[in-house]
Amino acid sequence: MAELTTLESLLEMGFERNRAEKAVANTGNQGIEQAMDWLMEHENDPDIDEPFVPPVENVLGGEADSQSSTDQPTLANIAEADGDSSYIEEALKQPMTEEERCEQVKRLEELMRLKQEERRERERADEVEREKQRRRQGQELQQIRQKIQDDEMKKIADQRRREKMEDKMARQRVKDKIARDREERAQKFGGGAPPSTATSSQPTPPSPSSPTSQGPPPSKKEYDESRIQVRMLDGSTITTVFKAQEQLAAVRVYVQMNGNTPEGQDFTLLSPYPRHIYTEMDMEKPLKELGLVPSAVLVVTKK
């Protein structure tokens, strides 16, 4: 009995003829091991069960197989892979008996089982590697998102700090301007006013001791300061003293700096008795000209 060909060995192992023929043809009839590898790699192909059409002048099991049977390393390849050279020599010396044929089939089935286990092991290793890669990519993506979020929060914090610093500097500039304006007004009006006020105020002390019937009537007292009380939106009040020649705008700036009006809230001032709402033009007028000397009560109202 002659040695089994690759196609016969595959059929003996239970493979369908259509698949076996495709495996032999696609591996160039190089042996059972290559054919089994091809079958395991392509067992899930959608066209694996389509009818096999052999190439021209290459009909499996026919003349081409008989001509290449001397070059077909079926049993020899398997035995050589296992390192059993004596098995090759025995197979070549005498034809195979039924028992030897069954033994060959068992060896081929065992070889196929080992190949399948190796393939499953490779697939498991590939799946583990893919899962590791997926986790690494997920962690990297999370780190990128966290970095973007941190950078955005840092930008917002820096912007808020700059805004606060700019607002603080603007407030300081307003305070400095108010202080300079007060000094300039004090130098401008205080330098010439005291002599006149002093001369006008000097005759007044002796007036109580002098007879009321003598001398001209006392002149109207000149005030150089004004005590302003401001009622805020919530009903609270603040009070301070301004120079009589200071503009009403100084009162509004003082309310902005020391009052409890919400930041950014636009407001104006009004006098309740008699009721008068001060306009932007009034803000440039001195308190004395507006009749707010020596004291007055103003009310903060929303625009």
Side-chain angles (χ1 to χ4, degrees), residues 241-254:
V241 177
F242 296 89
K243 295 293 183 181
Q245 295 299 328
E246 284 193 79
Q247 297 177 354
L248 183 60
V251 180
R252 183 167 65 178
V253 173
Y254 179 82

Side-chain angles (χ1 to χ4, degrees), residues 18-200:
N18 187 55
R19 294 191 178 191
E21 291 176 350
K22 285 186 176 182
V24 174
N26 284 282
T27 57
N29 198 15
Q30 294 180 1
I32 187 65
E33 187 174 353
Q34 288 81 354
M36 284 193 300
D37 287 341
W38 187 93
L39 284 170
M40 285 186 290
E41 290 177 2
H42 297 81
E43 62 181 352
N44 295 321
D45 290 356
D47 59 345
I48 188 65
D49 291 323
E50 291 183 2
F52 173 69
V53 179
V56 180
E57 298 180 357
N58 185 18
V59 180
L60 295 176
E63 182 179 356
D65 283 343
S66 62
Q67 292 176 355
S68 60
S69 60
T70 57
D71 299 330
Q72 179 177 340
T74 56
L75 183 59
N77 284 344
I78 298 172
E80 185 178 354
D82 294 339
D84 191 357
S85 57
S86 61
Y87 180 79
I88 301 174
E89 295 175 357
E90 288 294 329
L92 296 175
K93 287 180 181 179
Q94 57 185 1
M96 296 178 61
T97 63
E98 187 65 26
E99 182 179 355
E100 291 173 340
R101 182 177 180 179
C102 293
E103 181 66 21
Q104 182 183 6
V105 171
K106 288 181 182 180
R107 288 170 63 85
L108 294 175
E109 289 176 350
E110 178 65 17
L111 179 60
M112 185 177 69
R113 185 184 64 79
L114 294 175
K115 290 287 185 181
Q116 289 174 344
E117 289 182 358
E118 291 176 0
R119 180 187 177 188
R120 285 193 293 268
E121 187 64 27
R122 286 196 305 270
E123 290 177 349
R124 282 194 295 268
D126 293 342
E127 182 64 26
V128 171
E129 186 61 29
R130 284 194 295 269
E131 180 64 19
K132 290 181 179 179
Q133 183 69 18
R134 186 188 64 81
R135 291 183 180 180
R136 283 195 298 269
Q137 291 175 352
Q139 292 175 354
E140 291 173 358
L141 181 60
Q142 182 65 25
Q143 291 175 356
I144 293 172
R145 290 176 178 174
Q146 186 65 35
K147 186 176 183 304
I148 292 174
Q149 185 177 1
D150 293 343
D151 293 343
E152 188 66 24
M153 294 299 294
K154 185 177 179 181
K155 289 181 181 178
I156 294 174
D158 292 342
Q159 180 66 23
R160 288 179 179 175
R161 282 195 294 270
R162 285 195 298 270
E163 291 176 355
K164 288 183 178 180
M165 183 61 66
E166 292 174 357
D167 185 64
K168 184 177 179 180
M169 294 174 63
R171 288 175 180 268
Q172 187 62 39
R173 287 194 296 270
V174 173
K175 288 182 179 180
D176 295 342
K177 186 177 185 303
I178 293 174
R180 288 195 303 270
D181 291 345
R182 286 182 178 177
E183 292 177 0
E184 291 174 358
R185 291 191 183 95
Q187 293 175 0
K188 181 177 180 181
F189 297 101
S196 61
T197 55
T199 54
S200 61

